[in-house]
Structure formats: C-alpha cells, structure tokens
Amino acid sequence: MIEDESETDDAFRALAEPRRRAILRLVATDELAAGEIAAAFDVTRTAISQHLTVLREAGLVSERRAGTRRFYRARPEGLAGLREFLDSMWSDALDVGRRLVEAEAAEHTAHRTDVA
C-alpha cells in the first residue's frame, strides 16, 4: 500500500465513528478548545480526548497548545486523500454510466436500422 493510501485509510477509519465526524464538523470552521468540544457531547472529557487523538493522528485536525489548554482545528489538507478517492470513484461511476448509455443507444440505433 502506498503512503497516500495508508493516510486515506487512516482518515476513513477515524471518520467511521459518528462522534468523530461530529467533532470534525465542530472544528471545521472554528478553532475550539478541547473543553468546548467536550461540552457539546454527553460523554466524558477523556472520551473526547481519545477521539481528538485519533483525529489528530489521522491528520484530520491540528492541535495548538496555549498554556494548559489545547485547541483543535480541522485540517482541510487532511481530507484531500478522501476527496481524491471519492472523486475518483464518482468519476469512474460516471464513466461506466456513460458507456452503458452509449451502448444502449448504439443497440437501439442498430435495431432501428435492422427493422427498416
């Protein structure tokens, strides 16, 4: 597996958990302290800290320390591998759809020619 695929796999694994996706949405536009993030959920701060660690290790969030506080922000570049993977799949699916439509149109045209 090449490095980019490994990073993409790490990001998919991190985002497989719904609470981590919710955390990522929270820090998508604003940098928030860990306590502010934890306040948005009905779980312990320790649980949120573990989720933030997984997201950080997957490259999806950055961490900034100011004294004893830790601030988190989404890293758009961390989502780049996921975006490329999904764009590729979408592009491939569109190509298959186009080929199917073209084959059906060619078959329909051939059938009309045979009938005439």
Side-chain angles (χ1 to χ4, degrees), residues 28-106:
T29 56
D30 293 316
E31 182 180 66
L32 296 176
E36 294 173 296
I37 297 167
F41 298 94
D42 290 331
V43 295
T44 65
R45 285 181 181 237
T46 302
I48 294 300
S49 178
Q50 291 170 349
H51 287 306
L52 287 165
T53 297
V54 171
L55 290 168
R56 185 179 45 78
E57 288 176 353
L60 297 173
V61 298
S62 61
E63 177 187 83
R64 179 179 66 84
R65 294 180 185 198
T68 59
R69 297 183 72 191
R70 293 179 186 200
F71 294 88
Y72 295 88
R73 175 182 296 277
R75 294 182 65 245
E77 60 274 18
L79 295 170
L82 291 174
R83 183 175 291 120
E84 288 172 19
F85 173 80
L86 294 172
D87 286 348
S88 171
M89 286 190 61
W90 179 244
S91 177
D92 291 348
L94 289 175
D95 287 343
V96 168
R98 179 184 47 78
R99 286 194 303 272
L100 289 171
V101 168
E102 289 172 352
E104 187 175 307

